[in-house]
């Protein structure tokens, strides 16, 4: 595949037992805007991006990653992805059809090799948006998601072969960073003891807004479990926090861009303090951060989401 049909990461869906506390966290503390809801699900957007929503939070008895949603350009691309998955023997969850979620559109769902539910969609209506103002310390878009897999190489191969993702870099042999356009990564796959969500990352307007957001979280009584700092791989800033259900969420900015795709040579980064944090400003990866990255085993694998 010469070019991936995937243009960007559209949204992440999370199911949470502490539903009301989670909704309040993402609304009142994290900085997202609820745009649609009922008693059991809330859709969150940012005023700075045309996506209808970048995060959805659903009430459930057990915590799980409901789905990852990726955008493609046309309905034809949705059908082509479906045909490719069927030919490869991939288990579908939903055939291509009109979507009933905010913004509508046309999409399908399938399970990746770890049982993660993936949605691919096109023709979703844009919502009005505006540039963020200086010092406005709320997320301006969804940056990337990192998932844990027990076989990183096999999961990487799936996304490369069937969806056209390309390798940007490795962190030793423990994590691979994958792109589809110019952003260094929209998906990363990390080695873990079980299938789970590692973290979800939200991009801020710039360094000042990123630091102001980090400070707001500290003042709210939720200090970073790691950060602020600046990674080697991806060259992006990082501040990692825990949401009410123990999922890691990240504020980031200035993620590296790969403008010349053909000339890029993937690098291998080493997990030294100097490469983990170029600035040397973050606290060490403590006993809190490492188990939080592994997260709880995902109880939703190989199970479709009701919404």
């Amino acid at each position: 595949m010469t070019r991936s049909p995937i243009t960007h990461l559209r949204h992440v869906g999370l199911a949470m037992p502490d539903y009301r506390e989670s909704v309040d966290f993402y609304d009142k503390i994290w900085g997202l805007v609820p745009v649609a809801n009922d008693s059991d699900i809330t859709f969150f957007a940012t005023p700075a991006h045309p996506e209808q929503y970048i995060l959805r939070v659903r009430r459930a008895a057990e915590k799980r990653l409901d789905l990852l949603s990726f955008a493609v350009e046309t309905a034809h691309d949705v059908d082509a992805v479906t045909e490719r998955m069927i030919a490869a023997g991939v288990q579908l969850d939903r055939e291509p059809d009109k979507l009933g979620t905010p913004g509508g559109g046309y999409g399908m769902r399938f399970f990746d090799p770890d049982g993660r539910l993936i949605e691919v969609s096109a023709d979703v209506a844009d919502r009005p948006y505006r540039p963020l103002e200086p010092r406005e310390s709320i997320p301006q878009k969804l940056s990337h998601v990192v998932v844990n897999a027990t076989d990183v190489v096999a999961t990487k191969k799936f996304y490369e072969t069937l969806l056209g993702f390309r390798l940007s870099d490795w962190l030793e042999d423990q994590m691979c960073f994958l792109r589809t356009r110019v952003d260094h990564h929209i998906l990363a796959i990390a080695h873990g003891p079980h299938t789970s969500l590692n973290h979800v990352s939200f991009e801020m307007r710039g360094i000042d807004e990123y630091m102001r957001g980090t400070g707001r979280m500290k003042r709210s009584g939720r200090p970073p479990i790691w950060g602020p700092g600046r990674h080697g791989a991806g060259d992006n800033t990082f501040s990692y926090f825990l949401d009410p259900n123990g999922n890691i969420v990240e504020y980031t900015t200035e993620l590296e861009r790969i403008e010349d795709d053909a000339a890029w040579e993937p690098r291998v980064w080493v997990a030294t303090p100097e490469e983990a944090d170029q600035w040397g400003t973050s606290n060490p990866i403590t006993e809190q951060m490492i188990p939080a990255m592994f997260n709880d085993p995902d109880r939703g694998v190989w199970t479709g989401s009701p919404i």
Side-chain angles (χ1 to χ4, degrees), residues 45-300:
T46 167
H49 200 275
E51 280 294 342
Q52 286 286 329
Y53 59 98
I54 61 173
L55 177 73
R56 50 173 256 197
V57 175
R58 183 176 66 86
R59 187 193 307 272
E62 290 187 303
K63 179 174 74 172
R64 63 166 285 188
L65 173 63
D66 258 357
L67 58 82
L68 302 179
S69 178
F70 295 101
V72 294
E73 292 181 353
T74 68
H76 173 76
D77 291 323
V78 173
D79 291 337
V81 168
T82 303
E83 292 172 4
R84 193 175 302 120
M85 295 298 165
I86 292 173
V90 173
Q91 181 179 336
L92 300 189
D93 177 64
R94 295 186 186 181
E95 298 277 352
D97 202 351
K98 293 181 179 179
L99 300 177
T101 42
Y106 179 75
M108 55 83 70
R109 293 178 180 176
F110 60 89
F111 295 102
D112 78 2
D114 304 314
R116 226 171 267 107
L117 185 62
I118 307 298
E119 180 180 270
V120 172
S121 62
D123 298 337
V124 177
D126 288 346
R127 66 187 299 272
Y129 68 103
R130 61 172 177 82
L132 294 181
E133 298 291 334
R135 301 189 177 189
E136 197 171 0
S137 58
I138 61 174
Q140 69 175 3
K141 75 169 190 175
L142 187 59
S143 174
H144 60 270
V145 65
V146 180
V147 296
N148 296 320
T150 56
D151 189 338
V152 173
V153 172
T155 304
K156 166 182 172 288
K157 182 178 179 181
F158 174 89
Y159 282 92
E160 289 175 326
T161 303
L162 295 181
L163 289 171
F165 281 72
R166 303 196 68 176
L167 176 66
S168 295
D169 284 321
W170 278 99
L171 176 59
E172 298 185 344
D173 60 353
Q174 297 298 298
M175 181 185 295
C176 62
F177 300 86
L178 303 176
R179 70 186 186 279
T180 60
R181 294 293 185 268
V182 297
D183 286 346
H184 179 271
H185 59 283
I186 60 171
L187 174 68
I189 304 162
H191 178 74
H194 45 248
T195 299
S196 60
L197 175 67
N198 185 296
H199 71 267
V200 182
S201 181
F202 298 81
E203 181 180 296
M204 309 296 270
R205 181 181 182 273
I207 293 289
D208 185 68
E209 292 77 18
Y210 153 78
M211 289 300 297
R212 288 175 183 273
T214 299
R216 185 184 66 251
M217 292 295 293
K218 291 183 68 174
R219 288 169 177 159
S220 74
R222 295 179 179 272
I225 60 172
W226 191 28
R230 188 169 200 129
H231 287 311
D235 198 32
N236 55 306
T237 64
F238 66 89
S239 292
Y240 296 98
F241 305 88
L242 290 175
D243 79 0
N245 282 263
N247 296 307
I248 297 180
V249 286
E250 179 189 23
Y251 283 152
T252 191
T253 196
E254 297 189 350
L255 180 69
E256 186 171 12
R257 292 170 63 85
I258 299 173
E259 302 288 354
D260 190 345
D261 193 69
W264 184 261
E265 292 292 336
R267 303 160 297 188
V268 178
W269 295 84
V270 181
T272 61
E274 293 76 16
E275 293 194 357
D277 175 17
Q278 299 180 66
W279 289 344
T281 54
S282 66
N283 49 308
I285 299 182
T286 63
E287 293 181 1
Q288 184 183 21
M289 180 64 182
I290 292 174
M293 287 191 298
F294 289 152
N295 211 332
D296 302 318
D298 195 326
R299 303 300 182 188

